[in-house]
């Protein structure tokens, strides 16, 4: 494990080549005081700014820089591609991902005879290579989309970097689980959401307590929900809203997922603060008028979930052990594929990976999101 300062020193020489021109500390634009930075990459093929958060400025900077690096790699995939239909690949004896379980888009045009671009990954559960649609891997948002686009969810979900490829795989897998958990939580309906509210007065962890208290002291009310799913990895959603005469301002949310509940909660709270500062700064490419309209779930008055008094400490585990743990959890709920695509560039040698896990839900905040089998089954159970 590298210290944040070491990670920053290792990647800084590549800023120019990747188009990173500026790192802006925007913490002072808000009154909460939790560090947030913007990392500017003007010639990007997706978002020109990435955002980082943390309890101190160096961690926030590393967070934003690594997100920018991930997107740079996702926009410029250098690995070999195949142009073929699923039927063609099957006839050639190529193993392809279970396409029926990939997150789809509404009115998607996929069919087995449609020519698509495909990229090869490695299935961490089946322990063998597998081909998957390129649309589920790249992060380019250019108007001229690659051949065969318009079939599957094209988001940054599961795109991660790290000091080691295994570290990147763990981060990416946790993000896919986090988004699946959030989509299922939303699909559960209002009554379910009310039942998952966490009593923040039961949070004793010093870092989490500090972040929560900074929000409250600034007149910003945090509401946290336990959105953990049947996978069993702790996950939380935090919403923050103004109290007093500013209650018409938007509601901001953040997600966190980690083996240790305290880290999952801390990520959710700091990401919600980050979301608020992004809107205040107004410099993201993906902001629209609707983002400035008051929205969000009604704050829960039934904070009935107690935060764990003792949290799991996995600091002594290896990333290999973390991946094995995650694979076992996924298999227990019927997930039999977890595809890793190594996007590491030989030019920079900064580990970057995309994880695609067929069967898990995609992000439901994607305008093109189409509920998958897990969300549909949950909706049917609660209807």
């Amino acid at each position: 494990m590298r210290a944040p300062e070491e990670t920053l020193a290792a990647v800084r020489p590549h800023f120019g080549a990747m188009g990173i021109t500026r790192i802006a500390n925007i913490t002072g634009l808000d009154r909460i005081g939790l560090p947030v930075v913007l990392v500017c990459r003007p010639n990007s093929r997706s978002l020109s700014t990435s955002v980082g958060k943390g309890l101190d400025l160096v961690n926030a900077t590393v967070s934003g820089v690594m997100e920018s690096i991930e997107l740079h790699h996702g926009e410029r995939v250098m690995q070999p591609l195949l142009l073929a239909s699923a039927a063609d690949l099957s006839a050639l004896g190529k193993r392809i991902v279970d396409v029926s379980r990939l997150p789809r888009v509404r009115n998607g045009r996929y069919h087995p005879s449609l020519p698509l671009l495909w990229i090869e990954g490695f299935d961490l559960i089946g322990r063998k290579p597998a081909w998957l649609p390129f649309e589920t891997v790249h992060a380019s948002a250019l108007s001229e989309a690659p051949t065969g686009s318009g079939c599957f969810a094209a988001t940054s979900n599961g795109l991660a970097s790290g000091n080691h490829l295994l570290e990147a795989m763990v981060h990416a897998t946790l993000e896919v689980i986090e988004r699946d958990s959030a989509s299922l939580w939303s699909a559960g309906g209002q009554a379910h959401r009310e039942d998952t509210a966490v009593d923040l007065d039961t949070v004793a962890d010093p870092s989490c307590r500090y972040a929560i208290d900074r929000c409250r002291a600034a007149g910003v009310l945090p509401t946290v929900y336990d959105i953990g799913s049947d996978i069993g990895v702790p996950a939380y959603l935090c919403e923050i809203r103004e109290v007093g005469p500013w209650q018409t301002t938007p509601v901001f949310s953040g997600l966190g997922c980690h083996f240790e509940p305290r880290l999952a909660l801390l990520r959710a709270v700091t990401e919600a603060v980050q979301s608020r500062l992004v809107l205040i700064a107004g410099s993201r490419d993906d902001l629209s008028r609707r983002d400035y309209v008051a929205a969000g779930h009604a704050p829960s008055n039934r904070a009935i979930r107690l935060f764990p008094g003792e949290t799991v400490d996995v600091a002594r585990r290896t990333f290999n052990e973390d991946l094995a743990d995650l694979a076992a959890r996924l298999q227990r709920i019927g997930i039999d594929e977890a595809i890793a695509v190594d996007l590491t560039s030989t030019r920079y040698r900064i580990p970057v990976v995309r994880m695609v896990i067929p069967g898990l839900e995609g992000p439901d905040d994607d305008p093109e999101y189409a509920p998958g089998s897990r969300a549909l089954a949950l909706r049917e159970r609660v209807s």
Side-chain angles (χ1 to χ4, degrees):
M1 291 289 289
R2 278 178 174 165
E5 295 86 354
E6 294 175 317
T7 298
L8 193 57
V11 301
R12 189 181 292 277
H14 304 295
F15 283 4
M18 287 188 283
I20 296 175
T21 60
R22 179 170 177 253
I23 299 174
N25 177 7
I26 62 171
T27 309
L29 296 180
D30 197 4
R31 61 182 185 275
I32 296 176
L34 294 176
V36 176
V37 303
L38 283 179
V39 179
C40 303
R41 195 166 48 90
N43 294 320
S44 71
R45 297 176 183 175
S46 58
L47 296 177
S48 62
T49 58
S50 296
V51 195
K53 78 280 188 186
L55 289 184
D56 57 59
L57 191 57
V58 67
N59 275 287
T61 302
V62 171
S63 171
V65 164
M66 297 306 279
E67 180 182 278
S68 188
I69 289 172
E70 294 158 15
L71 286 173
H72 172 83
H73 283 70
E75 296 163 359
R76 296 166 173 81
V77 177
M78 300 300 176
Q79 285 70 12
L81 304 177
L82 286 181
L83 175 60
S85 68
D88 293 334
L89 291 181
S90 295
L92 292 172
K94 301 285 188 182
R95 177 176 179 250
I96 66 173
V97 71
D98 185 349
V99 176
S100 68
R101 304 186 77 182
L102 292 173
R104 300 290 186 96
V105 294
R106 293 196 303 270
N107 304 315
R109 62 193 193 94
Y110 174 79
H111 59 81
S113 298
L114 178 70
L116 309 175
L117 288 174
W118 299 78
I119 189 169
E120 189 175 33
F122 187 79
D123 181 4
L124 301 183
I125 294 177
R127 308 304 299 172
K128 50 189 173 184
W131 289 83
L132 63 163
F134 183 54
E135 187 173 23
T136 65
V137 173
H138 76 82
S140 175
L142 295 179
S143 56
E144 294 186 11
T147 300
S149 298
C151 300
F152 306 99
T155 70
S156 62
N157 186 29
L159 182 63
S161 57
N163 294 301
H164 190 281
L165 189 62
L166 292 175
E167 180 185 9
M169 288 179 183
V170 171
H171 290 326
T173 303
L174 288 173
E175 181 174 74
V176 178
I177 292 173
E178 170 189 281
R179 302 297 174 81
D180 171 81
S181 298
S183 295
L184 292 179
W185 180 79
S186 294
Q190 181 62 32
H192 169 71
R193 291 194 289 267
E194 288 286 319
D195 289 341
T196 62
V198 176
D199 182 354
L200 294 183
D201 290 335
T202 66
V203 177
D205 176 75
S207 296
C208 293
R209 187 77 265 151
Y210 173 76
I212 292 167
D213 290 345
R214 286 301 298 251
C215 291
R216 289 175 169 174
V220 177
L221 175 68
T223 306
V224 172
Y225 300 92
D226 181 348
I227 64 170
S229 71
D230 53 352
I231 298 173
V233 181
Y236 295 92
L237 180 147
C238 175
E239 292 187 336
I240 58 174
R241 49 177 54 78
E242 295 275 1
V243 294
W246 304 280
Q247 290 182 11
T248 57
T249 56
V251 175
F252 303 94
S253 64
L255 298 170
C257 179
H258 196 274
F259 293 106
E260 297 188 50
R262 63 183 181 85
L263 294 180
L265 176 61
L266 183 61
R267 290 177 180 181
V269 176
T270 54
E271 186 172 281
V273 173
Q274 168 187 287
S275 299
R276 175 180 157 99
L277 261 165
V278 165
L279 203 64
I280 291 172
S283 58
R284 287 268 289 202
D285 315 68
D286 56 347
L287 294 178
S288 65
R289 184 180 297 274
R290 70 176 181 272
D291 293 307
Y292 289 87
V293 178
H297 305 95
S300 174
N301 295 317
R302 299 179 59 217
I304 58 176
R305 294 282 180 100
L306 303 183
F307 192 73
E310 295 184 7
T311 61
V312 179
D313 182 5
V314 296
R316 292 186 176 86
R317 291 206 321 202
T318 66
F319 291 123
N320 265 323
E321 291 170 330
D322 285 343
L323 282 173
D325 185 340
L326 291 170
R329 292 171 187 265
L330 291 169
Q331 286 179 286
R332 282 197 292 270
I333 65 163
I335 301 297
D336 53 12
E337 294 179 299
I339 315 296
V341 182
D342 184 358
L343 300 180
T344 305
S345 167
T346 55
R347 181 178 184 182
Y348 311 118
R349 301 192 183 282
I350 301 170
V352 178
V353 70
R354 167 79 83 160
M355 288 297 307
V356 178
I357 306 178
L360 296 190
E361 292 292 319
D364 67 345
D365 58 354
D366 177 6
E368 296 300 314
Y369 168 73
S373 59
R374 281 165 63 77
L376 292 174
L378 180 58
R379 287 181 182 181
E380 185 173 340
R381 289 198 300 271
V382 299
S383 63

